[in-house]
Amino acid sequence: MAGERWGLDRRNLLLGSAGLGALGLGGCATMAGPAPTPGVYTPTIAPVRASMNRVFDITVCLRPFRAAGPRLEAETIADTLVIHNYGHGGSGWSLSWGSGTLAVRMAMANSPASVAVIGCGAIGLTTALLAQEAGAKVTIYARDLLPDARSARATGSWTPDSRIALTKTAGPAFADRWEEMARISFKRYRRYLGLPGTPVEWSDRYTLLDRPPGSEPEPEDPLGFASYGERIRDLTPHSEMLPPGSTPFPTPYVRRNSSMQFNVADYAHTLMADFLAGGGRIERREFTRLPSSTPCRKRW
Ligand SMILES: Cc1cc2nc3c(=O)[nH]c(=O)nc-3n(C[C@H](O)[C@H](O)[C@H](O)COP(=O)(O)OP(=O)(O)OC[C@H]3O[C@@H](n4cnc5c(N)ncnc54)[C@H](O)[C@@H]3O)c2cc1C
């Protein structure tokens, strides 16, 4: 948004020391906040001890993007029914349960007794758990397990339409499928709220603005990423503008919204533990080619 300075939460503050300097938070002892504004709840925001010498790791990762949206379809290879379920861009954690549900529906069409899942990231692990719940004996085969799989590098926010498809490539059918995936996922995430270790939680985010929202046109998205957020606007609380002077931030306009956050380390650990406790098996294996000459079932 034009005129927008920072969208931040504690996690972003921790990661962005540049933002810290600009906000003047470093070492500030007065972040306890201004006098309370009647009727407005603005919690005390503790200054975050962020500085470059506290950075202990830097990771780089690409979002697995497909212009038409994730591939979610069935194919028979040799005598094995294979369900493709990959390519969730910047929304893999957010859509995982919904996407996995659709994939497992296809996989269980012939009621197989056992299911092999390839991959142990956000998509593989959730799909494996869903297949287990559907009654199958499940084995995950993967080169990397969490926390080494790439999914561990995600921010971990509820961002179901982040880099999920291009508007001009993904058709209306995908928009409907996306909504189904997002709604299923959102509902499933409720199960992980309030657990020890807070694998999933709601947190407040503040967006600092120099000018009133809507006073300037939104900049065009040159890449044309699809945006479906309006379709599920009923699911999450709407953002609110906070009254001037009611926050410790230095901008004239502050917007607050509540956002669901996946604490990936703890959440992934919880999923792995649930899968193993449910009788799941994990085998490290790297596949280098399609097993086309020999029946897949024997190899997998
Ligand atoms: C910087 C960044 C931030 C992100 N932030 C968010 C966010 O806030 N919210 C959100 O919802 N999403 C976010 N995402 C997107 C999300 O992380 C991905 O969509 C998701 O992790 C993809 O999961 P996956 O299971 O498909 O892939 P991966 O995590 O890459 O898992 C793939 C699995 O397949 C295995 N595998 C691959 N090849 C082989 C092989 N040949 N043989 C055997 N095993 C193999 C791997 O070892 C691994 O286990 C972000 C992504 C990035 C890069």
Side-chain angles (χ1 to χ4, degrees):
M1 162 163 303
E4 191 162 300
R5 277 211 220 162
W6 311 97
L8 61 125
D9 56 13
R10 280 183 66 86
R11 178 172 301 239
N12 288 340
L13 268 177
L14 275 166
L15 293 174
S17 61
L20 234 187
L23 282 165
L25 304 187
C28 172
T30 57
M31 277 301 286
T37 305
V40 179
Y41 173 65
T42 46
T44 299
I45 301 167
V48 175
R49 290 166 60 212
S51 60
M52 281 313 287
N53 66 16
R54 292 172 67 86
V55 173
F56 57 85
D57 195 10
I58 294 176
T59 56
V60 178
C61 194
L62 296 176
R63 292 168 177 85
F65 176 76
R66 304 179 87 241
R71 184 174 184 197
L72 190 48
E73 64 187 55
E75 182 186 5
T76 300
I77 301 177
D79 65 347
T80 300
L81 175 64
V82 174
I83 312 297
H84 300 282
N85 182 19
Y86 60 85
H88 297 72
S91 307
W93 281 108
S94 307
L95 293 177
S96 57
W97 291 111
S99 192
T101 298
L102 303 191
V104 167
R105 248 181 234 162
M106 291 186 236
M108 298 306 286
N110 300 329
S111 307
S114 59
V115 167
V117 172
I118 300 179
C120 195
I123 300 298
L125 202 44
T126 50
T127 304
L129 276 158
L130 288 162
Q132 223 173 34
E133 283 172 22
K137 197 165 174 304
V138 184
T139 304
I140 293 177
Y141 297 91
R143 185 184 54 216
D144 311 300
L145 312 182
L146 282 165
D148 295 319
R150 298 291 191 270
S151 291
R153 300 182 183 183
T155 316
S157 304
W158 168 251
T159 54
D161 67 346
S162 163
R163 285 86 153 185
I164 189 65
L166 294 184
T167 310
K168 68 174 189 316
T169 315
F174 175 68
D176 290 343
R177 176 179 269 188
W178 175 89
E179 182 173 343
E180 187 180 6
M181 292 192 292
R183 288 186 182 279
I184 293 171
S185 273
F186 187 80
K187 190 165 182 186
R188 177 76 183 212
Y189 270 118
R190 282 190 222 147
R191 293 191 189 190
Y192 296 91
L193 292 168
L195 294 184
T198 53
V200 177
E201 65 180 338
W202 283 85
S203 60
D204 287 341
R205 293 178 176 213
Y206 296 86
T207 304
L208 310 190
L209 306 152
D210 289 323
R211 285 177 281 283
S215 60
E216 290 178 35
E218 293 274 346
E220 290 250 324
D221 166 14
L223 297 173
F225 285 117
S227 164
Y228 303 118
E230 278 304 314
R231 298 178 72 120
I232 54 165
R233 210 161 143 59
D234 55 303
L235 290 185
T236 49
H238 296 180
S239 64
E240 55 179 342
M241 292 302 296
L242 298 177
S246 66
T247 75
F249 299 116
T251 53
Y253 304 95
V254 176
R255 187 174 54 210
R256 178 171 61 196
N257 75 305
S258 298
S259 174
M260 190 160 63
Q261 182 72 39
F262 321 126
N263 295 317
V264 172
D266 191 78
Y267 177 48
H269 187 78
T270 303
L271 296 180
M272 292 274 276
D274 286 355
F275 176 69
L276 294 171
R281 237 172 41 82
I282 299 179
E283 190 176 315
R284 276 192 194 264
R285 180 147 0 148
E286 176 163 17
F287 297 93
T288 51
R289 63 187 174 84
L290 270 181
S292 51
S293 53
T294 315
C296 306
R297 202 168 286 143
K298 286 193 182 125
R299 290 173 154 263
W300 295 1

